[in-house]
Amino acid sequence: MIICLPNGTVIHHINANYFLDITSMKPEDVESSIFSFSSNFEDPSTATYLQFLKEGLQRAKPYLQS
């Protein structure tokens, strides 16, 4: 999965296999806070994808502040 700007600049990416691996783990087994599970969602895929999008927005801020 990739988040990019209209000009093609890649802001954030995640390998699909890594995404599937991390979402199949139990929340207590996840070491990275980047892809930690949110208590608002029971589905680990949804929580991880939401966190991926949030981080992409944070990484895009420097490009969008002009």
Side-chain angles (χ1 to χ4, degrees):
M1 291 182 274
I2 299 173
I3 297 174
C4 59
L5 298 176
N7 68 4
T9 303
V10 175
I11 300 297
H12 193 27
H13 71 281
I14 184 172
N15 180 289
N17 289 329
Y18 177 74
F19 178 81
L20 292 172
D21 287 346
I22 199 160
T23 57
S24 67
M25 297 173 70
K26 295 178 185 173
E28 57 270 11
D29 294 339
V30 178
E31 295 176 16
S32 173
S33 63
I34 294 173
F35 297 107
S36 63
F37 298 99
S38 169
S39 60
N40 296 334
F41 295 100
E42 292 183 23
D43 177 27
S45 298
T46 302
T48 303
Y49 184 63
L50 180 63
Q51 190 60 36
F52 167 76
L53 294 175
K54 285 180 180 180
E55 184 167 335
L57 288 173
Q58 289 297 318
R59 291 182 180 199
K61 279 185 180 179
Y63 296 98
L64 301 174
Q65 296 175 353
S66 29

